[in-house]
Amino acid sequence: MRPATLREVAERTRGDGDWDHHTREFLDTFYAADGDTARQAAMIRDEPDLLGLEPADAFIGGVGEHLARRWGLPIPGWVRHEARYLKTALFIPNERNLRGYLICVSPVSFRARLIFTGPDPLQRARFPYHRGVIRMPMDYPPRRD
């Protein structure tokens, strides 16, 4: 069974250390609840325990804030805890030639934490694509023909 809250993501991670897997499983649960804003807000409301793994703690904070912003939910106060921010930049993927792009397109919820990733980093197969995705324009700045 997939984790139903970000708090459960942290609990399961304590057991096996695989925060990335549990976060992705949680996202599937969150997206399956699309349209039920009360349920989705409850899924991110309770503070997950800190894991003591800086990238994981920061990323989970970014997930909570990003989902709240993207789906118009209340932003939980726990996402602002200082341990939810990195002191050294993390690039996902860690490809030197993509760094400039990632710095530009990372959502604010991740960029503020020094996590630089694609414009819609939480996409999954269950992502509600009918809501639209965020992409960087391929022709930027626009040509003036």
Side-chain angles (χ1 to χ4, degrees), residues 1-79:
M1 183 163 221
R2 293 184 173 109
T5 66
L6 281 176
R7 186 172 185 81
E8 285 182 39
V9 168
E11 290 168 4
R12 291 179 185 201
T13 299
R14 283 222 182 274
D16 65 14
D18 196 352
W19 63 271
D20 183 55
H21 170 76
H22 298 303
T23 300
R24 291 174 190 274
E25 291 284 296
F26 163 76
L27 291 171
D28 288 340
T29 305
F30 185 88
Y31 297 144
D34 186 48
D36 187 346
T37 56
R39 182 173 165 212
Q40 286 180 306
M43 296 169 91
I44 63 172
R45 180 180 45 238
D46 295 332
E47 182 173 5
D49 291 336
L50 291 169
L51 300 167
L53 305 167
E54 290 181 10
D57 289 332
F59 197 85
I60 290 170
V63 169
E65 182 177 348
H66 183 73
L67 292 175
R69 288 179 182 279
R70 186 86 158 80
W71 270 262
L73 307 171
I75 299 173
W78 63 263
V79 303

Side-chain angles (χ1 to χ4, degrees), residues 70 117 123 133:
R70 186 86 158 80
T117 187
Q123 285 181 337
V133 293

Side-chain angles (χ1 to χ4, degrees), residues 46-119:
D46 295 332
E47 182 173 5
D49 291 336
L50 291 169
L51 300 167
L53 305 167
E54 290 181 10
D57 289 332
F59 197 85
I60 290 170
V63 169
E65 182 177 348
H66 183 73
L67 292 175
R69 288 179 182 279
R70 186 86 158 80
W71 270 262
L73 307 171
I75 299 173
W78 63 263
V79 303
R80 302 279 189 242
H81 189 284
E82 67 184 35
R84 301 282 179 197
Y85 294 83
L86 295 176
K87 293 175 180 67
T88 304
L90 173 65
F91 291 88
I92 304 170
N94 190 16
E95 298 290 333
R96 193 170 225 24
N97 60 340
L98 291 177
R99 287 184 176 183
Y101 170 76
L102 296 175
I103 288 169
C104 290
V105 301
S106 293
V108 68
S109 303
F110 291 96
R111 188 173 44 233
R113 289 171 169 77
L114 298 180
I115 299 171
F116 301 100
T117 187

Side-chain angles (χ1 to χ4, degrees), residues 101 105 119 135-143:
Y101 170 76
V105 301
R135 292 190 177 97
M136 180 72 173
M138 296 307 291
D139 185 24
Y140 190 82
R143 290 185 293 209

